Every structure is written in C-alpha cells, then in structure tokens.
Amino acid sequence: MNWIMNKKRTLFFKIFVSFLAIISLFCLFYILIYYVFKTSLQEEIVQNSHNETKNTAERFSNHMEQIQIMLFHVYNNQDLVAFNRQLQRVGFQQADYLKAKNVMKDIRGYVYNSLFLLEDIIVHFPNERLTLGKSGSGSSDYMFNTSYQSATYPLEHWNTLSSEPSTFLISPAASFQMKAGSPESRLLLPYTFKNPGSAYQIIAMIDIRKAVQSFFGTTDGHTLTITDQQSNILYYSGSTSAEVRMPVFQEGETTHKQNGRYYFKAEAADGLIYITSLADTRITDQLQRLTGYMILIFVFSLLAATLVSLYLSRRLHTPVKDMLSSLLDRTSLNDVGEFRQGESHILEYDLIQSRIGELKIEKDTIVAKLNRQNAILTNYSYMNQLKNINTDLSEWNDFLADGGSYQIVYYDIRFRISEKGTMPLDRERAVRHLLDYIHLQTKEKFHANHTFQMEKNEIVSVLKEAPAFQLQMLLEQLKASLDEEKHYYVVTICTLPATDQPTKFSETYQQLRDLASEARLLDETQLISEARSLPDLKQPLVKRGRELNQAIQALEEDACMEWIHHSFAYFIKKDASVLQFRQLALSIMSHIVEFMDQQQSYKTSGVPVSEWEDMLQDCHTREDYETVFKYIVSSVITNMRDSILPAPEEPAIAMFHEIINSHYMEDISLEYLSEKLNLSTTYLSVYIKDKTGINFSEHLQKIRMRKACELLATTNWTINEISVRVGYKNITSFNRLFKKTTGISPGVYRKQHFMEVHQQRKHVD
C-alpha cells in the first residue's frame, strides 16, 4: 500500500494522468462533434445532390444554346441558301454541288469540334429526297434507312417533320444503327431547326451519352432524366424510358422522395426539365461507411495519444530522476521520503527543494561574484566583435602584405525599383546592413578575412588561404539568404582564382567589375567565376526605329510598349548582359527624346531627360525596364497629346471618361480613380454625379453592357468569354445585370439579333 501511495506522488504518475485527462476531454468533444455532424450529414448530401442537378441543368442549357446558334449558322449558310435555290429551280441533277461541298465542309468543322459533342449534322431536303452530312451527300432513303437507321425515327418521320410548327425541336433520344445489319449503334438526341414553309431542315445528332458524361458524370446509382415542358421524356440514363415512372412534383417543389429514392428537379432557361434521382440506401451506406472510418480514426488516435503520453511522461520524468541521483549522492528516495513530505504534491520536487535549500546559502556569494564577472566578460567580448568589423580600409595593405595567397570576392548590389518607379529602400542603410551581414558570415568560415565597401553599391571581401569547397559553401549560403530579398535588390557575386601578389589587387578588382557587367538580367543572385563571350546584337533602332516613330506619332502607348517589349525579348533570347541591356535602354530613351525634338509642334522643354536616365540606371530586371518605359512613354504621349488637342473644359471628367473607356474590362474602383486623379474618394464621387448626372458605378455598368451587346452581336465567343472580357469574372452576376439592363438574357439577345439579321437579308434577297 505504501508503494502505491508513493507512486501516486511521483512526477511520472502526475504527468501521465494529466495527459490522460486531456485526452479524455478531447475524446468527449470528438464524440459530441461527430453526433452533431452525423445528424446534418444527410441534409448536406441531399443539398449537394440538388446543387449538382442545378449545375447539370445550367451546363446542358448553355450547351443547347450553343447548338441553337450553330444550327442557325448552318441554316443561313450562304452556300446552302444558294444550293437550295438551285434545287428549287433546276433540280438536284443540275445543281452546283460545289456549294454543297462547301456546306459539308462547314458541317465537318462543327461535327469534329469536340465541344459540340455531335455525331453528325444532316441537311435534309424532303421534296428532293436529298441529304447532306459529314460523310457527303446522298439520298434520304440511304441516310435514314442505312446510315442512321432507327425504328423510332424512320424516313417517314423526317419527311413529315416539316409540317411541325416549331422552329427548334428536340426529339427524344433513340438508338441509331450506324449501318444496316451492323451491330454498332449510338444513342443520339435529334435537335432540329427549320423555318415554317422552308424547303430544308437542319438535324443535329447529339451524342447524348458523351454529353451526359461531360455535364453530369457517371455516378453509380445516380440517374438523370431530361423532359420537355410537356413532361415528355427526352433522355433517361437508367433503364429504358418506357419503364420510367416520374414522380409528381408539387408546384414550387424541387426535392421529392418516393419509393425509397430521392428525386431532384431543376428547370433550365430553355424550358427543359432535368430530374436526378438517388437511392435512399446510398445515403445510408455513405453514413455507415463514414461511421466506420470515424470509429477507426478515433481508436487509432486514442491509441497513438496514449502511447505519446506515456513516452512524453517518461521523457519528462527521467531527467528529474537523474538530477535527484546527482543531488542526493545516490541516496535512496525512501531514506529521505519522510523528510519534507506535505510541502508539495510531487515527491521529486520536495526532495530537490530540500537539497537545494541546504546548498543555497553557501553558494549565493559565489554565484553573485561569478555573475558579475560573466557580465563583464560578455560585454567585453561583444564590444570586441563590433570593433573587429573592419570598416576602416587603412589596415588592408598590411593584411595583404602578410604573405600567402589571397582571393577576392566581389559583391555588386543592384537595387530594384517599385512599380511606381520609386526606390523602396534607403540605399545607404541597406548597403551597411549587407556589409555587416557578409562580414559576419565570412568571419564564421574564414579567420583571416577583410570585408569593406569599395564604391556606393560594391562590397569586397579579401580572404586568406580560402579552401575552394569552403568558399563555395559560403557563396551558396549567401545566395540563398540574398534571394529571399530579391524583390528589393539583386546581387551579383564574382570570384577569380587566388593570387599571392598584393600588387595585383587593383587589376583583379577591375576584372571582377568587368565580370559583374557580363551578368545576365536575372531576378536572382548570380555566382560568376569566369568570363563569357557576349552575343553580337543587332540594335533594334537601326532596323525598326521607324516603327517606334510611327507608334509615337500615332499616340499609341500600347504599340510603343509592344515595340519595347519585343526589343527586350530579343536581348533576353540572345542572353545579353546587364551592360548591354542598359545601353539598349539608354539608346531607346535618347531616340524618343530626339524624335520629340524633331517635332516642332510639340513642347519638349519640360521633358525630364536627366530624371529618366537616373531611373533607367536603377533598372536591373526586365520588369524594372518595362515599368520605367511605361512611365516614359505615357509621359511623352501625354505631352504630345496636350500639345495637339485643346484643353477640355473639365479635365477631371475627360480623364475619368478616358480611364473607364480604356480599362472597363479591369477591376477598377472609385479608389483607383481617386488615386489616378489625385482627388479624395468622397469628393470624386460627388463631382462625377454633379457633372454627369449619374454616379461612377452606373457609368461603368453602362459601358460594360454596351460593349457586351456589341460582342454578342459581332462575335462567336461564348457568353462566359464575353463576361470576362467586359470585366465580370462571375457569369451569374453578368447575366443578372445584363437582363436588368436590357430586359432579356444574353443568349436571347444574341438569338434575336441573328433572327433580325436573317430577316433583313431575306428582305434584301
């Protein structure tokens, strides 16, 4: 019993029990969270299935809209219209089949486009019993009784389809035998377009299984049904559509449970209804599988936590035992266990406290004296290290004259500039910081060294008897550290083989500077140990300078920047050095200034040429040069434009219109405009409203909607692409704002526009 009581008071027992208490608390919390999670999981699965149905309906709706536009394009193909006229006038034997060939070429372009998911597009002339398709032209009998044979859609069906009043007609999916007598068949969904009274019709054979695979997926036990507004089944992914019994949804109901299955309903914008179903047992299986996984994880976590607690408890207990053995001079714990009991709940701490109390008085004086001496020595050592940082160059001659070989490491520091063309760092402080850092790192590796600053952005380290591998390790370590701040500065580190002649220091130093000028224009620290042959570059101003002059003359900032971008890209491709890039930049700037001086109508007296030269001197990456040139070109064009055009009555409003008309596709805001116009946000908002009658957001929305209408009418881009190009990354927001502005959706607007164009062409014909 005494042994048990003693164990309860040990440090190991206390720590282990504490760990177990924490583990038990977390286990209870885990169980509570699991039960709360389990009750809401079924609702989450049902909601996710409903969202999946809505997404499927939206994808199918967008695809059907693209099919409609494609059918409309094929129907109004000029060659097809001309070929139909010839058929009406002279019959199919005398018609010009070159036009039919062009039509079939157009058809193949759509069919072999994987985005449309088409098996074929058939142009059917019922009166002439003629068809055109991806494989060529042929009789209607061969097309519908041999190539696309189906008991559901015989030739008589397509012949009588022309009497249907609908313009666009989606027929139920059916199995089509690709060749008579062949076992190969495809499940196709016919989508027909025709005008009432027209002599031909366009039939798109949609590979519905590929469409379902793309827009819905192949989830086991999860079925998809597509119906029209009259509840006619167009497609069913389970058994045959004849066996399907669709549930009856109440008005406004989108989720329905019947006969052990969940049904989810979503109606697309084109009127088609999409219904997915999911077995109730599938949800139950998921819950059971999840429960099994959670129990397994719980047991594993509990076991691992217990083992870790045992391990940590022993790790904490063992040093205390060792310390006690040392303090007690191997005296048994039981011999002194009764000495100071009751002062602490942990036996080991009681023993330590009793032993330390006996030693404390006789050691206080010694400890205080040692602490004072240690403080003095520490302070002296620290000051001595600071004095050893060699910022005075008066001793370096003696350092070199001591004999032995030495090696020079040269650091060329090139500071980056910000996007606004300004310097983000204080150069002098940054160079001093790097000097101290390089000195300390070098001193750790090499005892005999001397590090100092030569020029404004140059640091030199002279090393005595430096092993090559140790120097390489130091340079790699410095490169890794310097690259972490490469957005502020880029460093080029140059080395040459060691020499034992002090008189060659100046010559070696100049060689290292030449090596640094041969560095590549990279956004990282470079280690250079040998010279390289520089490329022989053609100056772009000699060959293409007139193109730059024309772009400046036309006040086209983008064209100027593209010319400059191509020039720098050519130097990048040829692996030019930083010196060659600097010469290129200065020559381009000089050319721009000379061109402005030649234009007598422009005022060039206020051009800050010296400021531009200083900015270009501070460029050390391609992005730096393009940032500065964008500022230079913008200043030049603004200067020239102001010299040509009279000043408007309201400069702020004119600049406001210029910015939103050229940047409407970007994520611009009132804060961005206020920064550009150097006005407060509140004042700018009131000023725009007062001068134009509408606020900023209305201006921006009006421009974007006008541009969206233009792109819908003049391009074949998808609605999603147009949404992004006019500044809306969220297509749902774009559709909502477009409908709010025009009263109709983007797809309907595009269809109406095409119909109007078609009607106008018919009147002209």
Side-chain angles (χ1 to χ4, degrees):
M1 183 62 69
N2 291 334
W3 179 83
I4 297 177
M5 294 302 295
N6 287 335
K7 285 295 183 182
K8 285 184 178 181
R9 298 185 64 241
T10 60
L11 177 63
F12 169 78
F13 183 82
K14 297 286 185 179
I15 294 176
F16 186 63
V17 170
S18 299
F19 277 129
L20 292 182
I22 296 174
I23 293 171
S24 301
L25 182 62
F26 276 106
C27 289
L28 292 176
F29 182 73
Y30 177 88
I31 294 171
L32 178 62
I33 291 296
Y34 170 70
Y35 277 108
V36 173
F37 173 74
K38 184 177 179 181
T39 55
S40 62
L41 180 60
Q42 183 169 354
E43 296 179 1
E44 289 292 333
I45 295 174
V46 171
Q47 184 61 38
N48 289 338
S49 299
H50 182 253
N51 292 337
E52 181 182 356
T53 305
K54 289 173 62 178
N55 293 336
T56 300
E58 184 177 352
R59 297 188 194 105
F60 265 103
S61 177
N62 292 335
H63 184 68
M64 291 303 180
E65 185 176 348
Q66 294 298 320
I67 296 294
Q68 284 186 1
I69 296 173
M70 180 271 298
L71 291 173
F72 185 82
H73 276 295
V74 175
Y75 185 88
N76 293 282
N77 186 292
Q78 296 297 324
D79 291 320
L80 179 57
V81 173
F83 182 68
N84 176 58
R85 290 175 180 170
Q86 291 181 2
L87 290 178
Q88 302 302 319
R89 290 198 299 265
V90 300
F92 70 88
Q93 294 183 349
Q94 299 182 13
D96 184 5
Y97 275 86
L98 288 177
K99 296 186 179 298
K101 183 177 180 182
N102 292 335
V103 175
M104 290 183 286
K105 182 178 180 181
D106 193 22
I107 289 173
R108 294 187 190 102
Y110 288 116
V111 171
Y112 296 135
N113 188 338
S114 60
L115 296 178
F116 287 104
L117 304 173
L118 295 174
E119 178 63 30
D120 205 344
I121 300 175
I122 302 172
V123 182
H124 183 212
F125 299 88
N127 295 333
E128 285 73 20
R129 302 182 63 81
L130 177 66
T131 59
L132 304 177
K134 68 177 183 181
S135 300
S137 61
S139 65
S140 301
D141 180 70
Y142 180 82
M143 179 64 73
F144 296 113
N145 289 333
T146 302
S147 295
Y148 291 97
Q149 182 182 5
S150 173
T152 307
Y153 300 107
L155 176 59
E156 291 76 13
H157 169 79
W158 305 110
N159 289 334
T160 58
L161 192 62
S162 58
S163 61
E164 292 287 338
S166 302
T167 302
F168 289 98
L169 178 63
I170 302 178
S171 303
S175 178
F176 287 82
Q177 199 168 6
M178 307 313 292
K179 291 183 180 179
S182 173
E184 181 183 1
S185 63
R186 298 280 178 86
L187 185 65
L188 305 177
L189 180 73
Y191 199 150
T192 308
F193 172 72
K194 62 180 181 55
N195 271 336
S198 176
Y200 60 92
Q201 53 189 319
I202 312 297
I203 307 167
M205 295 294 191
I206 303 174
D207 193 332
I208 188 62
R209 284 178 175 161
K210 286 185 179 179
V212 172
Q213 175 70 25
S214 298
F215 305 140
F216 178 67
T218 56
T219 306
D220 295 337
H222 207 170
T223 64
L224 171 67
T225 305
I226 305 175
T227 69
D228 57 17
Q229 291 180 333
Q230 290 75 32
S231 298
N232 297 319
I233 296 177
L234 301 179
Y235 171 78
Y236 179 67
S237 63
S239 58
T240 60
S241 58
E243 302 175 1
V244 180
R245 293 183 179 179
M246 299 305 301
V248 178
F249 287 85
Q250 300 297 326
E251 184 177 357
E253 185 182 18
T254 58
T255 303
H256 185 80
K257 185 176 181 182
Q258 177 179 314
N259 298 330
R261 295 187 72 85
Y262 281 95
Y263 293 87
F264 308 96
K265 174 183 176 182
E267 184 172 354
D270 54 8
L272 296 183
I273 298 173
Y274 299 82
I275 300 174
T276 63
S277 67
L278 180 67
D280 189 17
T281 55
R282 185 165 175 241
I283 297 178
T284 303
D285 292 341
Q286 290 184 1
L287 291 175
Q288 292 178 350
R289 186 163 55 252
L290 177 65
T291 301
Y293 289 151
M294 297 294 279
I295 292 175
L296 183 62
I297 294 173
F298 175 76
V299 173
F300 176 78
S301 301
L302 184 61
L303 179 61
T306 303
L307 293 177
V308 170
S309 299
L310 182 62
Y311 171 74
L312 292 177
S313 299
R314 289 191 176 278
R315 285 289 302 273
L316 293 173
H317 180 247
T318 301
V320 176
K321 288 181 63 177
D322 295 340
M323 184 170 53
L324 284 173
S325 299
S326 176
L327 289 175
L328 298 175
D329 297 328
R330 303 183 182 276
T331 303
S332 173
L333 294 179
N334 293 329
D335 295 339
V336 295
E338 303 295 330
F339 179 66
R340 299 277 304 268
Q341 290 184 2
E343 295 187 3
S344 174
H345 295 289
I346 300 176
L347 177 62
E348 290 86 350
Y349 284 168
D350 290 341
L351 295 174
I352 293 172
Q353 183 178 359
S354 63
R355 191 61 175 170
I356 291 177
E358 297 172 0
L359 299 174
K360 181 173 177 50
I361 297 175
E362 61 183 277
K363 292 184 178 179
D364 282 342
T365 304
I366 299 174
V367 170
K369 185 181 296 185
L370 289 176
N371 286 338
R372 288 195 300 271
Q373 293 176 354
N374 185 52
I376 294 172
L377 291 174
T378 301
N379 183 63
Y380 174 80
S381 175
Y382 175 75
M383 296 301 297
N384 191 42
Q385 286 186 2
L386 291 178
K387 292 179 180 179
N388 285 336
I389 298 178
N390 297 304
T391 57
D392 186 5
L393 302 182
S394 61
E395 300 175 2
W396 80 278
N397 282 322
D398 296 335
F399 176 81
L400 294 179
D402 287 341
S405 63
Y406 68 94
Q407 192 166 5
I408 303 175
V409 182
Y410 173 83
Y411 302 86
D412 180 28
I413 306 165
R414 296 177 285 149
F415 288 90
R416 303 286 303 273
I417 59 176
S418 67
E419 295 180 356
K420 298 181 180 179
T422 60
M423 183 63 60
L425 289 179
D426 183 347
R427 293 186 181 185
E428 294 182 0
R429 292 183 61 185
V431 172
R432 287 198 300 269
H433 167 74
L434 287 175
L435 176 63
D436 294 344
Y437 176 77
I438 293 172
H439 170 77
L440 292 175
Q441 294 296 322
T442 305
K443 187 176 181 180
E444 289 183 1
K445 300 290 191 304
F446 306 99
H447 177 69
N449 71 90
H450 198 94
T451 301
F452 51 90
Q453 181 179 353
M454 289 290 292
E455 296 292 343
K456 180 172 60 176
N457 294 339
E458 295 178 358
I459 296 175
V460 172
S461 291
V462 183
L463 312 176
K464 282 291 191 69
E465 306 293 338
F469 74 94
Q470 197 169 357
L471 176 60
Q472 185 64 28
M473 289 177 58
L474 171 65
L475 298 183
E476 292 292 343
Q477 179 182 349
L478 290 174
K479 172 178 168 56
S481 300
L482 295 172
D483 280 344
E484 293 180 358
E485 297 183 349
K486 62 182 180 181
H487 52 286
Y488 291 123
Y489 48 77
V490 179
V491 181
T492 301
I493 305 177
C494 303
T495 59
L496 286 174
T499 180
D500 56 357
Q501 301 182 19
T503 57
K504 288 191 175 182
F505 177 86
S506 298
E507 179 182 349
T508 305
Y509 167 71
Q510 188 58 45
Q511 292 176 358
L512 290 170
R513 297 189 70 182
D514 295 338
L515 281 182
S517 67
E518 297 175 1
R520 294 173 172 83
L521 200 69
L522 300 179
D523 189 14
E524 63 179 11
T525 302
Q526 300 181 59
L527 303 179
I528 303 177
S529 58
E530 60 183 7
R532 67 184 179 102
S533 58
L534 298 180
D536 185 14
L537 300 171
K538 299 179 181 178
Q539 294 299 323
L541 291 169
V542 177
K543 185 176 181 181
R544 299 173 50 243
R546 183 176 298 177
E547 299 177 11
L548 179 59
N549 295 343
Q550 293 173 352
I552 300 174
Q553 185 74 35
L555 304 180
E556 295 179 355
E557 182 177 348
D558 292 339
C560 294
M561 290 307 302
E562 183 177 0
W563 189 96
I564 294 172
H565 177 81
H566 286 312
S567 300
F568 276 87
Y570 168 73
F571 272 53
I572 290 288
K573 181 179 180 181
K574 292 297 184 179
D575 201 18
S577 67
V578 293
L579 181 60
Q580 291 174 316
F581 273 100
R582 185 167 299 162
Q583 293 171 350
L584 170 65
L586 293 175
S587 64
I588 293 176
M589 188 212 68
S590 299
H591 180 86
I592 293 174
V593 174
E594 291 175 4
F595 177 79
M596 292 183 64
D597 290 335
Q598 294 171 4
Q599 310 301 312
Q600 298 180 359
S601 59
Y602 302 139
K603 302 176 182 178
T604 60
S605 58
V607 175
V609 177
S610 59
E611 177 185 347
W612 293 352
E613 290 179 350
D614 293 339
M615 294 172 66
L616 290 175
Q617 290 289 344
D618 291 330
C619 293
H620 303 294
T621 65
R622 178 177 177 178
E623 291 78 14
D624 290 348
Y625 281 115
E626 292 187 355
T627 298
V628 173
F629 271 114
K630 185 171 182 64
Y631 170 78
I632 294 174
V633 171
S634 177
S635 301
V636 169
I637 291 178
T638 300
N639 190 356
M640 297 176 67
R641 185 181 290 113
D642 293 341
S643 301
I644 296 173
L645 300 176
E649 295 182 2
E650 298 289 342
I653 294 298
M655 189 172 181
F656 161 72
H657 283 296
E658 179 182 355
I659 292 174
I660 63 174
N661 276 284
S662 58
H663 298 279
Y664 64 89
M665 72 293 295
E666 301 174 1
D667 188 18
I668 62 175
S669 62
L670 195 60
E671 289 75 14
Y672 171 84
L673 286 172
S674 64
E675 183 179 351
K676 288 289 185 182
L677 299 176
N678 197 21
L679 297 172
S680 68
T681 304
T682 304
Y683 176 81
L684 180 61
S685 177
V686 176
Y687 184 80
I688 294 173
K689 178 73 173 181
D690 180 62
K691 296 298 181 181
T692 64
I694 59 177
N695 58 33
F696 161 74
S697 60
E698 292 173 333
H699 273 291
L700 183 60
Q701 181 178 330
K702 183 178 178 181
I703 292 173
R704 286 176 170 176
M705 291 299 108
R706 184 174 69 245
K707 189 63 178 178
C709 292
E710 177 184 344
L711 295 177
L712 286 168
T714 59
T715 69
N716 291 330
W717 294 338
T718 65
I719 295 176
N720 192 23
E721 290 176 337
I722 293 175
S723 171
V724 174
R725 287 177 182 268
V726 299
Y728 294 99
K729 297 181 180 179
N730 189 329
I731 189 173
T732 304
S733 300
F734 170 72
N735 288 333
R736 184 180 68 256
L737 290 174
F738 189 94
K739 189 170 183 179
K740 180 180 178 181
T741 304
T742 63
I744 56 177
S745 66
V748 175
Y749 178 90
R750 171 173 273 174
K751 287 190 288 186
Q752 288 185 357
H753 174 77
F754 284 139
M755 294 296 289
E756 291 173 2
V757 173
H758 174 62
Q759 294 297 332
Q760 292 174 2
R761 290 178 179 173
K762 289 184 66 177
H763 288 308
V764 173
D765 294 337

